[in-house]
Amino acid sequence: MPKRSAETVATSPEAVASRLAASRYLADESLATAIFLAIRLGKPLLLEGAPGVGKTEAAKAIAEVLGRDLVRLQCYEGIDAAHALYEWNYQRQLLAIRHAGEHEVDIYDDRFLIARPLLQVLKAPEKRVLLVDEIDRSDHEFEALLLEFLSEFQISIPERGTIRAKSQPIVILTSNRTRELAEALRRRCVYHWITYPDAEREAAIIMLRAGDAAEATARAVASAVRDIRARPLAKPPGIAEAVEWANAATILEKGGSPWPEAFRRAIGVLIKDEEDLSYIAPELGRIVEEALA
């Protein structure tokens, strides 16, 4: 997809939604508005919601619409500056010193600098979109480091000085809300809470992404998944699992399994926790039959 300026894409929330739909991501009015405002205001976009509601896919779709590469920083407990910002390639520096002999060598040249996601985006903000995925998995120290980065969109390297973005980067943060984020970080962002879609929207998503799944299959899956999510499961199925379930059941049906049986046999692509499977198994037949009715 050709590279587009953010202003060209974000002419209105409706235009954002239309372009996302062309990239096979169906955003409702509130999400499209949040994306529009984040782009036009030059602020990071913070997307919170349960696992599987489409937060990461939204970031991928935004990058695709803009014609930019998505640079993803996956957060985890203990992540530090060396994984997020930059680090020096000490082995190459030592080799350069040895080869230089008595000659001077700049061991802090660009060729020795390993750019991590934040620095990668600073160097080419017009070509990249930064996704800080599952920020709630990191600790408060990293959150403070990220806040400093988001404040000025610059990085200070003691040996090199300060590197600033030449233009405003597009930054998206996601959180599953396993812990509360700092208020200062929230204030820095345009915030949006993503919920599971209603059955009609989820059916449309399934039809868009599930390849050979028929409309009736997509509607049945959306209805059944909505019912299943209402149960007290440890790991409720996300949208991606619903799409996979529709695909798997369609494959089984084409192979000779009748519809209720195809759904039951394909349940392993929807429910991926042993206790959840045991809990839902006695009611699965009724759930599927009601969804197909």
Side-chain angles (χ1 to χ4, degrees), residues 49-67:
V53 295
K55 302 183 295 296
T56 301
E57 288 300 316
K60 292 178 181 178
I62 292 169
E64 183 176 337
V65 163
L66 292 170

Side-chain angles (χ1 to χ4, degrees), residues 126-140:
E126 73 288 349
K127 296 179 181 178
R128 295 165 182 154
V129 171
L130 175 63
L131 168 60
V132 183
D133 214 5
E134 298 182 323
I135 179 65
D136 53 318
R137 288 193 174 191
S138 66
D139 51 32
H140 294 287

Side-chain angles (χ1 to χ4, degrees), residues 235-292:
K235 298 179 180 179
I239 297 172
E241 284 77 23
V243 172
E244 290 173 357
W245 196 30
N247 270 329
T250 299
I251 291 171
L252 289 172
E253 189 272 338
K254 289 182 177 180
S257 295
W259 267 124
E261 180 67 12
F263 282 120
R264 186 191 65 77
R265 293 178 65 184
I267 193 63
V269 301
L270 182 73
I271 305 294
K272 300 180 181 180
D273 179 86
E274 182 182 1
E275 292 184 1
D276 288 348
L277 279 171
S278 299
Y279 177 84
I280 208 72
E283 298 187 71
L284 183 60
R286 181 189 60 79
I287 292 172
V288 170
E289 288 178 4
E290 289 181 358
L292 288 168

Side-chain angles (χ1 to χ4, degrees), residues 131-200:
L131 168 60
V132 183
D133 214 5
E134 298 182 323
I135 179 65
D136 53 318
R137 288 193 174 191
S138 66
D139 51 32
H140 294 287
E141 288 76 14
F142 178 74
E143 198 174 317
L145 181 151
L146 183 63
L147 181 62
E148 183 179 355
F149 169 81
L150 295 176
S151 298
E152 303 293 340
F153 290 113
Q154 65 181 34
I155 292 174
S156 294
I157 301 176
E159 301 85 357
R160 296 286 303 277
T162 301
I163 298 177
R164 295 180 177 86
K166 293 181 179 178
S167 59
Q168 193 79 19
I170 303 294
V171 181
I172 301 154
L173 299 88
T174 72
S175 168
N176 295 330
R177 207 167 188 175
T178 57
R179 69 169 177 85
E180 284 292 329
L181 301 179
E183 192 63 29
L185 182 63
R186 290 180 177 276
R187 287 199 301 267
R188 187 70 57 187
C189 304
V190 173
Y191 176 83
H192 184 71
W193 174 264
I194 299 185
T195 61
Y196 288 113
D198 57 31
E200 183 177 352

